[in-house]
Coordinates of all heavy atoms in Angstrom, one line a residue:
M1 N 9.4 5.8 1.6 CA 9.1 5.3 0.3 C 10.3 5.1 -0.5 O 11.1 6.1 -0.7 CB 8.0 6.2 -0.3 CG 7.6 5.6 -1.7 SD 6.2 6.5 -2.4 CE 5.0 6.4 -1.1
K2 N 10.6 4.0 -1.0 CA 11.7 3.7 -1.9 C 11.3 4.0 -3.3 O 10.1 3.9 -3.6 CB 12.2 2.3 -1.8 CG 12.9 2.0 -0.5 CD 13.5 0.6 -0.6 CE 14.4 0.4 0.7 NZ 15.1 -0.9 0.5
N3 N 12.3 4.3 -4.1 CA 12.0 4.5 -5.6 C 13.1 3.8 -6.4 O 14.2 3.5 -6.0 CB 11.8 6.0 -5.9 CG 13.1 6.7 -5.9 OD1 14.0 6.5 -6.7 ND2 13.3 7.6 -4.9
R4 N 12.7 3.6 -7.7 CA 13.6 3.0 -8.6 C 14.0 3.9 -9.8 O 14.3 3.6 -10.9 CB 12.9 1.7 -9.3 CG 12.6 0.6 -8.3 CD 12.0 -0.6 -9.0 NE 12.9 -1.1 -10.0 CZ 12.5 -1.2 -11.3 NH1 11.3 -0.8 -11.7 NH2 13.4 -1.6 -12.2
I5 N 13.9 5.2 -9.5 CA 14.1 6.2 -10.5 C 15.5 6.1 -11.1 O 15.7 6.2 -12.3 CB 13.9 7.6 -9.9 CG1 12.4 7.8 -9.6 CG2 14.3 8.7 -10.9 CD1 12.1 9.1 -8.8
R6 N 16.5 5.9 -10.3 CA 17.9 5.8 -10.8 C 18.0 4.6 -11.8 O 18.6 4.7 -12.9 CB 18.9 5.6 -9.7 CG 20.3 5.4 -10.2 CD 21.3 5.3 -9.1 NE 21.5 6.6 -8.5 CZ 22.3 6.9 -7.5 NH1 22.9 5.9 -6.8 NH2 22.4 8.1 -7.0
V7 N 17.4 3.5 -11.4 CA 17.4 2.3 -12.3 C 16.7 2.5 -13.6 O 17.2 2.2 -14.7 CB 16.8 1.1 -11.5 CG1 16.6 -0.1 -12.5 CG2 17.6 0.7 -10.3
L8 N 15.5 3.1 -13.5 CA 14.7 3.4 -14.7 C 15.4 4.4 -15.6 O 15.4 4.2 -16.8 CB 13.3 3.9 -14.3 CG 12.4 2.9 -13.6 CD1 11.3 3.5 -12.9 CD2 12.0 1.8 -14.6
R9 N 16.1 5.4 -15.0 CA 16.8 6.3 -15.8 C 18.0 5.7 -16.6 O 18.2 5.9 -17.8 CB 17.4 7.5 -15.0 CG 16.4 8.5 -14.6 CD 17.0 9.8 -14.1 NE 18.0 9.6 -13.0 CZ 19.3 9.7 -13.1 NH1 19.9 9.9 -14.2 NH2 20.1 9.5 -12.0
A10 N 18.7 4.7 -15.9 CA 19.8 4.0 -16.5 C 19.3 3.1 -17.6 O 19.9 3.1 -18.7 CB 20.5 3.2 -15.4
E11 N 18.1 2.5 -17.5 CA 17.6 1.7 -18.5 C 17.3 2.5 -19.8 O 17.3 2.0 -20.9 CB 16.3 1.0 -18.0 CG 16.6 -0.1 -17.0 CD 15.3 -0.7 -16.4 OE1 14.2 -0.3 -16.8 OE2 15.5 -1.6 -15.6
K12 N 16.9 3.7 -19.6 CA 16.6 4.6 -20.7 C 17.7 5.5 -21.1 O 17.6 6.3 -22.0 CB 15.4 5.5 -20.4 CG 14.1 4.8 -20.0 CD 13.4 4.4 -21.3 CE 12.0 3.8 -20.9 NZ 11.3 3.4 -22.1
D13 N 18.9 5.3 -20.5 CA 20.1 6.1 -20.7 C 19.7 7.6 -20.6 O 20.0 8.4 -21.5 CB 20.7 5.8 -22.1 CG 22.1 6.4 -22.2 OD1 22.8 6.5 -21.2 OD2 22.5 6.7 -23.3
M14 N 19.0 8.0 -19.5 CA 18.5 9.3 -19.3 C 19.2 10.0 -18.1 O 19.4 9.4 -17.1 CB 17.0 9.2 -19.0 CG 16.3 10.5 -18.8 SD 14.5 10.3 -18.4 CE 13.9 9.5 -19.9
T15 N 19.5 11.2 -18.3 CA 20.1 12.0 -17.2 C 19.0 12.5 -16.3 O 17.9 12.6 -16.7 CB 21.0 13.2 -17.7 OG1 20.1 14.1 -18.3 CG2 22.1 12.7 -18.7
Q16 N 19.4 12.9 -15.0 CA 18.4 13.5 -14.1 C 18.0 14.8 -14.7 O 16.8 15.2 -14.5 CB 19.0 13.6 -12.7 CG 20.1 14.6 -12.5 CD 20.6 14.6 -11.1 OE1 20.7 13.5 -10.5 NE2 21.0 15.7 -10.6
E17 N 18.8 15.5 -15.4 CA 18.4 16.8 -16.0 C 17.3 16.6 -17.1 O 16.4 17.3 -17.2 CB 19.6 17.5 -16.6 CG 20.5 18.1 -15.6 CD 21.5 17.1 -15.1 OE1 21.6 15.9 -15.6 OE2 22.3 17.4 -14.1
Q18 N 17.5 15.5 -17.9 CA 16.5 15.2 -18.9 C 15.1 14.8 -18.3 O 14.1 15.3 -18.7 CB 17.0 14.0 -19.8 CG 18.1 14.4 -20.7 CD 18.8 13.2 -21.4 OE1 18.9 12.2 -20.8 NE2 19.2 13.4 -22.6
L19 N 15.2 14.0 -17.2 CA 14.0 13.6 -16.6 C 13.3 14.8 -15.9 O 12.1 15.0 -16.0 CB 14.2 12.5 -15.5 CG 13.0 12.1 -14.7 CD1 11.9 11.6 -15.6 CD2 13.4 11.0 -13.7
A20 N 14.1 15.7 -15.3 CA 13.6 16.9 -14.6 C 12.8 17.7 -15.7 O 11.7 18.2 -15.4 CB 14.7 17.6 -14.0
E21 N 13.4 17.9 -16.8 CA 12.8 18.7 -17.9 C 11.5 18.1 -18.3 O 10.5 18.8 -18.5 CB 13.7 18.8 -19.1 CG 13.2 19.8 -20.1 CD 14.2 20.0 -21.2 OE1 15.4 20.0 -21.0 OE2 13.7 20.2 -22.4
L22 N 11.4 16.8 -18.4 CA 10.2 16.1 -18.9 C 9.1 16.2 -17.9 O 7.9 16.2 -18.3 CB 10.5 14.6 -19.2 CG 11.3 14.3 -20.4 CD1 11.8 12.9 -20.5 CD2 10.6 14.7 -21.7
I23 N 9.4 16.2 -16.6 CA 8.3 16.3 -15.6 C 8.2 17.7 -15.0 O 7.3 17.9 -14.2 CB 8.5 15.2 -14.5 CG1 9.8 15.5 -13.7 CG2 8.5 13.8 -15.0 CD1 10.0 14.6 -12.5
G24 N 9.0 18.6 -15.4 CA 8.8 20.0 -15.0 C 9.3 20.4 -13.6 O 8.6 21.2 -12.9
V25 N 10.4 19.8 -13.2 CA 11.0 20.1 -11.9 C 12.4 20.5 -12.0 O 13.1 20.2 -13.0 CB 10.8 19.0 -10.8 CG1 9.3 18.7 -10.6 CG2 11.6 17.8 -11.2
H26 N 13.0 21.0 -10.9 CA 14.5 21.3 -10.9 C 15.3 20.0 -10.8 O 14.9 19.2 -10.0 CB 14.8 22.3 -9.8 CG 16.1 22.9 -9.8 ND1 17.2 22.2 -9.4 CD2 16.5 24.1 -10.3 CE1 18.3 23.0 -9.6 NE2 17.9 24.1 -10.2
P27 N 16.4 19.9 -11.5 CA 17.2 18.7 -11.5 C 17.8 18.3 -10.1 O 18.2 17.2 -9.9 CB 18.3 18.9 -12.5 CG 18.1 20.2 -13.1 CD 16.9 20.8 -12.5
E28 N 17.8 19.2 -9.2 CA 18.4 18.9 -7.9 C 17.4 18.4 -6.9 O 17.7 18.3 -5.7 CB 19.1 20.2 -7.4 CG 20.3 20.6 -8.2 CD 21.4 19.5 -8.3 OE1 21.7 18.8 -7.3 OE2 21.9 19.3 -9.4
Y29 N 16.1 18.2 -7.4 CA 15.1 17.7 -6.5 C 15.5 16.4 -5.8 O 16.2 15.6 -6.4 CB 13.8 17.5 -7.4 CG 12.5 17.9 -6.8 CD1 12.3 19.3 -6.4 CD2 11.5 17.0 -6.6 CE1 11.1 19.7 -5.9 CE2 10.3 17.4 -6.0 CZ 10.1 18.7 -5.7 OH 8.9 19.1 -5.2
D30 N 15.1 16.2 -4.6 CA 15.6 15.1 -3.7 C 15.5 13.7 -4.3 O 16.3 12.9 -4.1 CB 14.8 15.1 -2.4 CG 15.3 16.1 -1.4 OD1 16.4 16.6 -1.6 OD2 14.6 16.4 -0.4
Y31 N 14.4 13.4 -5.0 CA 14.2 12.0 -5.5 C 15.2 11.6 -6.6 O 15.3 10.4 -6.9 CB 12.8 11.8 -5.9 CG 12.3 12.7 -7.0 CD1 12.7 12.5 -8.3 CD2 11.5 13.7 -6.7 CE1 12.3 13.4 -9.3 CE2 11.0 14.6 -7.7 CZ 11.5 14.4 -9.0 OH 11.0 15.3 -10.0
F32 N 16.0 12.5 -7.1 CA 16.9 12.1 -8.1 C 18.2 11.5 -7.6 O 19.1 11.1 -8.3 CB 17.3 13.4 -9.0 CG 16.2 13.8 -9.9 CD1 15.7 15.1 -9.9 CD2 15.7 12.9 -10.9 CE1 14.8 15.5 -10.7 CE2 14.7 13.3 -11.7 CZ 14.3 14.6 -11.7
H33 N 18.4 11.5 -6.3 CA 19.6 11.1 -5.7 C 19.5 9.7 -5.1 O 19.8 9.5 -3.9 CB 20.0 12.2 -4.6 CG 20.2 13.5 -5.2 ND1 21.3 13.9 -6.0 CD2 19.4 14.6 -5.2 CE1 21.1 15.1 -6.4 NE2 20.0 15.6 -5.9
G34 N 19.3 8.8 -5.9 CA 19.3 7.4 -5.5 C 17.9 6.9 -5.0 O 16.9 7.3 -5.5
E35 N 18.0 6.0 -4.1 CA 16.8 5.3 -3.6 C 16.4 5.8 -2.2 O 15.9 5.0 -1.4 CB 17.0 3.8 -3.6 CG 17.3 3.2 -5.0 CD 17.5 1.8 -5.1 OE1 17.4 1.1 -4.0 OE2 17.9 1.3 -6.1
R36 N 16.6 7.1 -2.0 CA 16.2 7.6 -0.7 C 14.7 7.5 -0.5 O 13.9 7.4 -1.4 CB 16.5 9.1 -0.7 CG 17.9 9.5 -0.7 CD 18.0 11.0 -0.5 NE 19.4 11.3 -0.6 CZ 19.8 12.6 -0.6 NH1 19.0 13.6 -0.5 NH2 21.1 12.8 -0.7
K37 N 14.3 7.6 0.8 CA 12.9 7.6 1.1 C 12.4 8.9 0.7 O 12.8 9.9 1.2 CB 12.7 7.3 2.5 CG 13.0 5.9 2.9 CD 12.8 5.6 4.4 CE 13.1 4.2 4.7 NZ 12.9 3.9 6.1
Y38 N 11.5 9.0 -0.3 CA 10.9 10.2 -0.8 C 9.5 10.0 -1.1 O 9.1 9.0 -1.6 CB 11.7 10.7 -2.0 CG 11.0 11.8 -2.7 CD1 11.0 13.1 -2.1 CD2 10.3 11.6 -3.9 CE1 10.4 14.1 -2.7 CE2 9.7 12.7 -4.5 CZ 9.7 13.9 -3.9 OH 9.1 15.0 -4.5
C39 N 8.6 10.9 -0.7 CA 7.2 10.8 -0.8 C 6.7 11.9 -1.8 O 6.4 13.0 -1.3 CB 6.5 10.9 0.5 SG 5.3 9.6 0.8
P40 N 6.7 11.7 -3.1 CA 6.3 12.8 -4.0 C 4.8 13.0 -3.9 O 4.0 12.1 -3.4 CB 6.7 12.3 -5.3 CG 6.6 10.8 -5.2 CD 7.0 10.5 -3.8
S41 N 4.3 14.1 -4.5 CA 2.9 14.2 -4.6 C 2.4 13.1 -5.6 O 3.2 12.6 -6.4 CB 2.5 15.6 -5.2 OG 2.9 15.7 -6.6
I42 N 1.2 12.7 -5.5 CA 0.6 11.7 -6.4 C 0.7 12.2 -7.9 O 1.0 11.4 -8.8 CB -0.8 11.3 -6.0 CG1 -1.2 10.0 -6.7 CG2 -1.8 12.4 -6.3 CD1 -0.6 8.8 -6.2
K43 N 0.5 13.4 -8.1 CA 0.6 14.0 -9.5 C 2.0 13.8 -10.0 O 2.2 13.4 -11.2 CB 0.2 15.4 -9.4 CG 0.1 16.1 -10.8 CD -0.4 17.5 -10.6 CE -0.5 18.2 -11.9 NZ -1.0 19.6 -11.8
L44 N 3.0 14.2 -9.2 CA 4.4 14.0 -9.7 C 4.8 12.6 -9.8 O 5.5 12.2 -10.8 CB 5.3 14.7 -8.7 CG 6.8 14.8 -9.1 CD1 6.9 15.5 -10.5 CD2 7.6 15.6 -8.1
G45 N 4.3 11.7 -8.9 CA 4.6 10.3 -9.1 C 4.0 9.7 -10.4 O 4.7 9.0 -11.1
F46 N 2.8 10.1 -10.8 CA 2.3 9.7 -12.0 C 3.0 10.2 -13.2 O 3.2 9.5 -14.2 CB 0.8 10.0 -12.1 CG -0.1 8.9 -11.5 CD1 -0.7 9.2 -10.3 CD2 -0.3 7.7 -12.1 CE1 -1.5 8.3 -9.7 CE2 -1.0 6.7 -11.5 CZ -1.7 7.0 -10.2
R47 N 3.5 11.5 -13.1 CA 4.3 12.0 -14.2 C 5.5 11.2 -14.4 O 5.9 10.9 -15.6 CB 4.7 13.5 -13.9 CG 3.6 14.5 -14.1 CD 4.2 15.9 -13.9 NE 3.2 16.9 -13.7 CZ 3.4 18.1 -13.2 NH1 4.7 18.4 -12.8 NH2 2.5 18.9 -13.1
I48 N 6.2 10.9 -13.3 CA 7.5 10.1 -13.4 C 7.2 8.7 -14.1 O 7.9 8.3 -15.0 CB 8.1 10.0 -12.0 CG1 8.6 11.3 -11.5 CG2 9.3 9.0 -12.1 CD1 8.9 11.3 -10.1
A49 N 6.1 8.1 -13.6 CA 5.8 6.8 -14.1 C 5.5 6.8 -15.6 O 5.9 6.0 -16.4 CB 4.6 6.2 -13.3
N50 N 4.7 7.9 -16.0 CA 4.4 8.0 -17.4 C 5.6 8.2 -18.3 O 5.6 7.7 -19.4 CB 3.4 9.2 -17.6 CG 2.0 8.9 -17.1 OD1 1.6 7.7 -17.0 ND2 1.2 9.9 -16.7
V51 N 6.6 9.0 -17.8 CA 7.8 9.2 -18.6 C 8.4 7.8 -18.9 O 8.9 7.6 -20.1 CB 8.8 10.1 -17.9 CG1 10.2 10.0 -18.5 CG2 8.3 11.5 -17.9
F52 N 8.4 6.9 -18.0 CA 9.0 5.6 -18.2 C 8.1 4.5 -18.8 O 8.5 3.4 -19.1 CB 9.6 5.1 -16.9 CG 10.8 6.0 -16.4 CD1 10.6 6.7 -15.2 CD2 12.0 6.1 -17.1 CE1 11.7 7.5 -14.8 CE2 13.0 6.9 -16.7 CZ 12.8 7.6 -15.5
G53 N 6.8 4.9 -18.9 CA 5.9 4.0 -19.5 C 5.6 2.8 -18.6 O 5.3 1.7 -19.1
V54 N 5.6 3.0 -17.3 CA 5.3 2.0 -16.3 C 4.3 2.5 -15.3 O 3.9 3.6 -15.3 CB 6.6 1.6 -15.5 CG1 7.7 1.1 -16.5 CG2 7.2 2.8 -14.7
G55 N 3.8 1.5 -14.5 CA 2.8 1.9 -13.5 C 3.6 2.6 -12.3 O 4.8 2.4 -12.1
I56 N 2.8 3.4 -11.5 CA 3.4 4.1 -10.4 C 4.0 3.1 -9.4 O 5.1 3.4 -8.8 CB 2.4 5.0 -9.8 CG1 3.1 6.1 -8.9 CG2 1.3 4.3 -9.0 CD1 2.2 7.2 -8.5
D57 N 3.4 1.9 -9.3 CA 4.0 0.9 -8.3 C 5.3 0.3 -8.9 O 5.9 -0.4 -8.1 CB 2.9 -0.1 -7.9 CG 2.4 -0.8 -9.1 OD1 2.4 -0.3 -10.2 OD2 1.9 -2.0 -8.9
D58 N 5.6 0.5 -10.1 CA 6.9 0.0 -10.6 C 8.0 1.0 -10.4 O 9.2 0.7 -10.5 CB 6.8 -0.2 -12.2 CG 5.9 -1.4 -12.5 OD1 5.9 -2.4 -11.8 OD2 5.2 -1.2 -13.5
V59 N 7.6 2.2 -10.0 CA 8.6 3.3 -9.6 C 8.8 3.4 -8.1 O 9.9 3.5 -7.6 CB 8.2 4.7 -10.2 CG1 9.2 5.7 -9.9 CG2 7.9 4.6 -11.7
F60 N 7.7 3.4 -7.4 CA 7.7 3.6 -5.9 C 7.2 2.4 -5.2 O 6.3 1.7 -5.6 CB 6.8 4.8 -5.6 CG 7.3 6.1 -6.2 CD1 6.7 6.5 -7.4 CD2 8.3 6.8 -5.7 CE1 7.1 7.7 -8.0 CE2 8.7 8.0 -6.3 CZ 8.1 8.4 -7.5
T61 N 7.9 2.2 -4.0 CA 7.5 1.1 -3.1 C 7.3 1.6 -1.8 O 8.2 2.2 -1.2 CB 8.6 0.0 -3.1 OG1 8.9 -0.5 -4.4 CG2 8.2 -1.2 -2.2
Y62 N 6.1 1.4 -1.2 CA 5.8 1.9 0.1 C 6.3 1.0 1.2 O 6.2 -0.2 1.0 CB 4.3 2.1 0.3 CG 3.9 2.5 1.7 CD1 4.1 3.8 2.1 CD2 3.3 1.6 2.5 CE1 3.7 4.2 3.3 CE2 3.0 2.0 3.8 CZ 3.2 3.3 4.2 OH 2.8 3.7 5.5
E63 N 6.9 1.5 2.2 CA 7.4 0.7 3.3 C 6.9 1.4 4.6 O 7.0 2.6 4.8 CB 8.9 0.7 3.4 CG 9.5 -0.1 2.2 CD 11.0 -0.3 2.3 OE1 11.6 0.5 3.1 OE2 11.5 -1.2 1.7
E64 N 6.3 0.6 5.5 CA 5.8 1.1 6.8 C 6.9 1.7 7.6 O 8.0 1.1 7.6 CB 5.1 0.0 7.6 CG 3.8 -0.4 7.2 CD 2.7 0.7 7.5 OE1 2.9 1.4 8.5 OE2 1.8 0.8 6.7
E65 N 6.7 2.7 8.3 CA 7.6 3.3 9.2 C 7.7 2.4 10.4 O 6.7 1.8 10.9 CB 7.2 4.7 9.7 CG 7.1 5.7 8.6 CD 8.4 6.3 8.2 OE1 9.3 6.3 9.0 OE2 8.5 6.7 7.0
I66 N 8.9 2.2 11.0 CA 9.1 1.4 12.2 C 9.2 2.2 13.4 O 9.4 1.7 14.5 CB 10.4 0.5 12.0 CG1 10.3 -0.3 10.7 CG2 10.6 -0.4 13.2 CD1 11.5 -1.2 10.4
D67 N 9.0 3.5 13.3 CA 9.1 4.4 14.5 C 8.1 4.3 15.5 O 8.2 4.9 16.6 CB 9.1 5.9 14.0 CG 10.3 6.2 13.1 OD1 11.2 5.4 13.1 OD2 10.2 7.2 12.3
G68 N 7.0 3.5 15.3 CA 6.0 3.3 16.3 C 4.6 3.4 15.6 O 4.6 3.6 14.4
P69 N 3.6 3.3 16.3 CA 2.2 3.3 15.7 C 1.9 4.7 15.1 O 2.3 5.7 15.6 CB 1.3 3.0 16.9 CG 2.0 3.4 18.1 CD 3.5 3.2 17.8
S70 N 1.2 4.6 14.0 CA 0.8 5.9 13.3 C -0.5 6.2 13.8 O -1.2 5.5 14.6 CB 0.7 5.7 11.8 OG -0.3 4.8 11.5
H71 N -1.0 7.4 13.5 CA -2.3 7.9 13.9 C -3.4 7.0 13.3 O -4.5 6.9 13.8 CB -2.5 9.3 13.5 CG -1.6 10.3 14.2 ND1 -1.7 10.5 15.6 CD2 -0.5 11.0 13.8 CE1 -0.7 11.3 15.9 NE2 0.0 11.6 14.8
D72 N -3.1 6.3 12.2 CA -4.1 5.4 11.6 C -4.4 4.2 12.4 O -5.4 3.6 12.3 CB -3.7 5.0 10.2 CG -3.5 6.1 9.2 OD1 -4.2 7.2 9.4 OD2 -2.8 6.0 8.2
D73 N -3.4 3.8 13.3 CA -3.6 2.6 14.1 C -4.4 2.9 15.4 O -4.7 1.9 16.1 CB -2.2 2.1 14.5 CG -1.3 1.7 13.3 OD1 -2.0 1.3 12.3 OD2 -0.1 1.7 13.4
E74 N -4.7 4.1 15.7 CA -5.4 4.4 16.9 C -6.9 4.3 16.8 O -7.5 4.4 15.8 CB -5.0 5.8 17.4 CG -3.6 6.0 17.7 CD -3.2 7.4 18.1 OE1 -4.0 8.3 17.9 OE2 -2.0 7.5 18.5

């Protein structure tokens, strides 16, 4: 899952420490380091989206894994 957290933080001139404080996590949490594939809990995803005043789909983009069929395909 890709995210736009870095872009959204830059638009608000917000540090990762400030965002972490607002959503109640440690600033070194994985999703703060760019557009890595990261799958947060739905609750945390909504907290992040709410901080920026956007929908969750404006923060996170789901991409299918290319590693092979998932269990859902069986």
Side-chain angles (χ1 to χ4, degrees):
M1 182 171 304
K2 287 188 174 184
N3 72 69
R4 297 184 56 238
I5 295 171
R6 180 178 283 178
V7 172
L8 293 166
R9 281 193 309 104
E11 289 174 358
K12 298 278 188 184
D13 196 30
M14 181 184 294
T15 66
Q16 68 186 35
E17 290 81 8
Q18 290 169 323
L19 177 57
E21 185 175 327
L22 289 170
I23 62 173
V25 298
H26 192 276
E28 295 300 319
Y29 222 59
D30 281 344
Y31 57 76
F32 287 122
H33 301 287
E35 296 179 6
R36 290 185 186 177
K37 292 181 179 180
Y38 171 71
C39 228
S41 71
I42 193 73
K43 185 177 180 179
L44 188 56
F46 275 106
R47 281 187 195 163
I48 294 167
N50 286 337
V51 164
F52 295 113
V54 299
I56 197 167
D57 57 337
D58 293 321
V59 180
F60 299 97
T61 305
Y62 176 75
E63 292 184 340
E64 281 290 329
E65 298 281 332
I66 303 179
D67 297 341
S70 69
H71 295 291
D72 296 337
D73 295 337
E74 296 176 353

